[in-house]
């Protein structure tokens, strides 16, 4: 017997329509590339999104067409999210930190018809115009007064909106239609596309709202430092309007001082981003001797949050939620809130749990398997490749059968490429990426575990552990450190600290000191670049 309930499609446009009706005054505040701070509300935004939808139609954009963006976090980018998906087209966000080759590859692969770009990126596009399709239309996201001089035929965003009507009759799309497209950063090989549907996007925003209720509620102000060009800023542009939370968009300046000033000025309660960003903010917090006023919650993901970072925030009374996910998962897979029974636990016990990658959110199933694909127990000990399944996880890569076949297992689960264990309470612990694991004499060493301990050393600002080839052991760990200001880290001293947690054979064989660590397009330490840079480094007993 079937249930007798209506079936209405889950559509992206409905999120903003709902917010405009129920939370009309919740704000979107943006630091603009024009240099000022701009304020609007969900109600006003819906009206501009209506105009933009008409303008897109005017550019000849129809159902299923791909429309690209190359832009920082700001209200115009947010408007594009809703207008493009709303008319049934696909919003393809491009990471500006990709190489020109990768950028032209994905514009071609996606088949983008129009590219919307911030003024900041006009010089970049001028440089690579020859690599892009001839018929790609370019729209600069500013008003007439701020249009840059250029030899390229550039359209102006505000002119385009012009006097189009504010209301738009949003079509009843199929909820399985594609709404947005995001390519992985492609640290190895060409970037691969995750093509999200309206349904997966709406479900993901509800899942995120349900899992992070402290930040996502009416009256709270959230700062997505995580870019709109990286996995839909972890779903915040959808989850915030859904719950009535306000958004504060930081624009291009993401250094500690700029973030501190913005957070304090805008009374940001919750801020979301990768660990490298929080390192900058913590630097400013130390300099100021206090946290920004009103700051109470930070969501850290994208790479492992070092325990020392979690402790630094928690010691100031700022709640840390350590989350894990990936582009292919929309991206959130876990949330690191403490189990209720731990409310009265000591700081160290809480820290140990917060350093793990959290428990799965509803709708995202996890399994860990051995090399033969057999399931491993969730006992906190067994570690294997992590596979995921759910409504917000890709069923394949866009236009890439080869990568799809590699990623999916026979039962239809997606292989994350992470090695993990899961404890009896359901907490995930990411041990490493399979490609970053150090395989020494048939055993493996987790680079993440080593880094976590080294990061807590007072003489270390940041670090990475990479595998170097070794004639006897296959691979051995090399520690790469960036010293804390005015400090000279001592390798023997660091090894003594590490010995408290690791067996002797797991300790790094050598240490090199560098000024800074290379980052990927998504702000994570690029171990690939480090492995290349130190390929000729000879370990002491190699
Ligand atoms: P890319 O960086 O390749 O663009 P993603 O941003 O999708 O791709 O990165 C996903 C990967 O980032 C995960 O597979 C995992 O290895 C790593 N990651 C994300 N969050 C965490 C976390 N909290 N702890 C450890 N690793 C993480």
């Amino acid at each position: 017997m079937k249930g007798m309930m209506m079936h209405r499609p889950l559509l992206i446009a409905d999120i903003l329509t709902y917010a405009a009706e129920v939370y009309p005054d919740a704000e979107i505040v943006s630091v603009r590339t024009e240099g000022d701070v701009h304020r609007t509300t969900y109600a006003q935004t819906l009206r501009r999104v209506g105009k933009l939808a008409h303008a897109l139609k005017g550019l000849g954009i129809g159902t299923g067409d791909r429309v690209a963006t190359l832009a920082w976090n700001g209200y115009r980018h947010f408007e594009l999210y809703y207008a493009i998906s709303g008319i049934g087209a696909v919003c393809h966000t491009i990471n500006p930190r990709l190489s020109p080759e990768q950028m032209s590859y994905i514009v071609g692969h996606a088949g983008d018809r129009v590219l919307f770009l911030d003024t900041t990126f006009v010089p970049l596009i001028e440089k690579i115009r020859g690599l892009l399709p001839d018929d790609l239309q370019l729209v600069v996201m500013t008003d007439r007064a701020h249009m840059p001089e250029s030899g390229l035929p550039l359209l102006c965003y505000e002119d385009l909106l012009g006097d189009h009507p504010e209301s738009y009759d949003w079509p009843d799309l199929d909820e399985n239609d594609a709404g947005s497209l995001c390519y992985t950063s492609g640290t190895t090989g060409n970037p691969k596309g995750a093509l999200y549907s309206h349904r997966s996007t709406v479900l993901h925003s509800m899942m995120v709202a349900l899992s992070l209720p402290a930040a996502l509620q009416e009256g709270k102000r959230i700062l997505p430092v995580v870019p709109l060009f990286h996995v839909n800023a972890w779903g915040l542009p959808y989850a915030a309007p859904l719950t009535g939370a306000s958004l504060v968009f930081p624009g291009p300046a993401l250094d500690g001082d700029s973030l501190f000033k913005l957070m304090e000025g805008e009374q940001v309660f919750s801020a979301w981003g990768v660990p490298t960003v929080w390192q900058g903010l913590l630097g400013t917090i130390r300099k100021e001797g206090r946290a920004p006023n009103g700051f109470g919650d930070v969501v850290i993901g994208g790479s492992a949050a070092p325990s020392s970072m979690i402790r630094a925030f928690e010691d100031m009374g700022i709640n840390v939620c350590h989350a894990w996910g990936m582009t292919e998962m929309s991206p959130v897979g876990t949330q690191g809130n403490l189990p209720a029974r731990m409310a009265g636990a000591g700081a160290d016990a809480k820290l140990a749990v917060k350093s793990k990658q959290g428990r799965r959110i509803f709708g995202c199933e996890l399994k860990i398997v051995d090399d033969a694909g057999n399931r491993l127990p969730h006992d906190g000990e067994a570690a294997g490749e992590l596979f995921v399944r759910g409504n917000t996880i890709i069923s394949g890569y866009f236009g890439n059968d080869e990568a799809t076949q590699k990623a999916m297992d026979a039962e239809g689960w997606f292989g994350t490429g992470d090695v993990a264990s899961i404890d009896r309470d359901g907490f995930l612990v990411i041990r490493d990426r399979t490609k970053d694991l150090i395989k020494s004499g048939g055993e493996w060493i987790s680079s993440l575990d080593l880094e976590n301990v080294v990061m807590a050393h007072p003489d270390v600002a940041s670090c990475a552990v990479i595998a170097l080839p070794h004639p006897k052991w296959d691979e051995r760990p090399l520690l790469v450190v960036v010293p804390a200001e005015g400090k000279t880290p001592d390798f023997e001293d660091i090894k003594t600290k590490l010995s408290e947690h690791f067996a002797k054979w797991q300790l790094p064989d050598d240490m090199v000191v560098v000024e800074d660590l290379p980052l990927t397009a998504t702000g994570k330490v690029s171990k690939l670049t480090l492995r290349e840079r130190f390929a000729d480094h000879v370990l002491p007993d190699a």
Side-chain angles (χ1 to χ4, degrees):
M1 194 195 287
K2 295 266 185 266
M4 288 178 59
M5 303 307 286
M6 292 185 190
H7 181 89
R8 297 289 305 144
L10 301 173
L11 299 179
I12 291 171
D14 286 339
I15 295 179
L16 188 61
T17 317
Y18 171 78
E21 189 184 318
V22 177
Y23 310 114
D25 305 325
E27 275 193 294
I28 301 178
V29 178
S30 314
V31 177
R32 295 205 290 187
T33 51
E34 286 93 334
D36 55 353
V37 173
H38 174 274
R39 287 170 195 286
T40 184
T41 63
Y42 288 138
Q44 287 164 358
T45 299
L46 179 64
R47 295 199 283 273
R48 278 177 51 91
V49 168
K51 283 160 108 49
L52 181 57
H54 288 289
L56 286 167
K57 284 283 186 186
L59 288 176
I61 298 303
T63 314
D65 283 342
R66 270 78 69 198
V67 177
T69 65
L70 188 62
W72 302 108
N73 287 6
Y75 67 103
R76 292 189 182 109
H77 204 172
F78 180 95
E79 290 165 359
L80 283 161
Y81 262 57
Y82 281 93
I84 297 169
S85 306
I87 65 167
V90 180
C91 179
H92 170 207
T93 51
I94 301 179
N95 186 332
R97 301 187 190 117
L98 292 177
S99 69
E101 292 72 32
Q102 287 178 328
M103 213 178 274
S104 66
Y105 168 82
I106 64 171
V107 171
H109 188 267
D112 294 328
R113 305 257 326 263
V114 184
L115 171 65
F116 283 83
L117 65 159
D118 268 339
T119 49
T120 349
F121 299 120
V122 171
L124 172 71
I125 293 303
E126 282 172 340
K127 240 184 262 157
I128 68 165
R129 183 67 187 97
L131 297 175
L132 302 174
D134 290 341
D135 56 356
L136 183 73
Q137 302 187 73
L138 302 171
V139 183
V140 183
M141 294 159 66
T142 189
D143 55 21
R144 179 56 50 197
H146 293 88
M147 280 296 283
E149 289 282 326
S150 173
L152 295 177
L154 300 176
L155 298 168
C156 167
Y157 186 95
E158 293 298 333
D159 285 0
L160 213 60
L161 260 61
D163 43 22
H164 280 298
E166 289 179 338
S167 68
Y168 192 89
D169 196 7
W170 301 107
D172 243 355
L173 305 166
D174 180 336
E175 64 177 7
N176 293 306
D177 283 352
S180 61
L181 172 64
C182 178
Y183 283 76
T184 62
S185 58
T187 34
T188 49
N190 273 325
K192 294 171 287 196
L195 187 59
Y196 312 111
S197 65
H198 283 259
R199 172 184 156 82
S200 72
T201 304
V202 173
L203 288 175
H204 182 261
S205 19
M206 295 199 282
M207 285 155 59
V208 170
L210 198 66
S211 311
L212 296 150
L216 284 157
Q217 52 175 291
E218 190 179 11
K220 289 279 158 60
R221 296 167 77 79
I222 306 183
L223 174 82
V225 182
V226 51
L228 289 169
F229 59 70
H230 187 216
V231 239
N232 301 332
W234 299 350
L236 273 177
Y238 308 111
L242 194 67
T243 57
S246 290
L247 286 167
V248 179
F249 285 130
L254 306 178
D255 59 285
D257 289 1
S258 307
L259 291 179
F260 189 104
K261 193 168 149 235
L262 178 67
M263 289 172 75
E264 179 138 304
E266 293 301 330
Q267 289 292 301
V268 167
F269 168 71
S270 179
W272 299 35
V274 295
T276 37
V277 163
W278 304 133
Q279 223 153 19
L281 180 70
L282 281 170
T284 305
I285 288 177
R286 283 191 194 105
K287 211 166 57 188
E288 298 283 332
R290 65 183 183 89
N293 239 323
F295 184 24
D297 182 78
V298 61
V299 178
I300 311 180
S303 43
S307 305
S308 51
M309 173 175 287
I310 299 175
R311 186 190 291 275
F313 281 119
E314 295 259 323
D315 282 352
M316 289 181 282
I318 296 161
N319 174 59
V320 173
C321 179
H322 186 192
W324 166 87
M326 59 196 307
T327 306
E328 290 87 337
M329 299 172 63
S330 298
V332 182
T334 64
Q335 54 80 14
N337 298 324
L338 287 180
R341 66 176 153 74
M342 288 201 71
D348 285 350
K350 283 184 179 169
L351 182 68
V353 175
K354 290 218 167 186
S355 299
K356 298 180 182 185
Q357 272 77 6
R359 291 177 287 183
R360 72 186 183 97
I361 63 175
F362 174 75
C364 169
E365 294 175 78
L366 310 175
K367 72 170 179 184
I368 44 174
V369 301
D370 65 15
D371 290 345
N374 303 311
R375 282 199 189 214
L376 294 169
H378 295 187
D379 60 5
E381 293 295 322
E385 187 178 353
L386 176 63
F387 281 76
V388 289
R389 187 168 72 175
N391 287 308
T392 59
I393 293 155
I394 59 161
S395 57
Y397 288 103
F398 172 55
N400 193 337
D401 290 342
E402 199 191 325
T404 300
Q405 263 164 22
K406 264 197 215 150
M408 313 301 297
D409 77 2
E411 295 169 16
W413 292 66
F414 171 78
T416 63
D418 285 344
V419 178
S421 52
I422 299 171
D423 72 17
R424 289 183 210 284
D425 292 329
F427 275 84
L428 178 71
V429 177
I430 300 289
R431 312 298 297 272
D432 226 325
R433 284 189 153 187
T434 35
K435 53 183 193 258
D436 294 336
L437 269 182
I438 301 150
K439 287 148 203 123
S440 172
E443 298 284 340
W444 58 264
I445 304 172
S446 155
S447 63
L448 280 189
D449 288 351
L450 288 168
E451 289 159 9
N452 205 359
V453 174
V454 178
M455 284 296 286
H457 195 284
D459 297 347
V460 173
S462 56
C463 74
V465 176
I466 54 165
L468 286 192
H470 191 282
K472 180 162 174 208
W473 304 110
D474 289 337
E475 288 179 348
R476 288 294 302 156
L478 171 73
L479 170 64
V480 185
V481 295
V482 178
E485 219 176 298
K487 299 285 171 96
T488 315
D490 177 62
F491 187 40
E492 289 309 315
D493 186 40
I494 290 178
K495 277 205 291 193
T496 309
K497 287 261 160 15
L498 283 170
S499 311
E500 293 166 18
H501 308 269
F502 298 93
K504 196 154 178 277
W505 65 271
Q506 294 173 314
L507 303 185
D509 278 13
D510 204 1
M511 178 179 94
V512 290
V513 175
V514 295
E515 258 173 46
D516 45 36
L517 295 172
L519 298 182
T520 66
T522 50
K524 308 176 192 190
V525 173
S526 172
K527 296 204 174 168
L528 184 74
T529 313
L530 283 175
R531 281 195 291 269
E532 283 165 5
R533 190 186 294 173
F534 293 105
D536 297 331
H537 183 91
V538 181
L539 294 169
D541 73 338

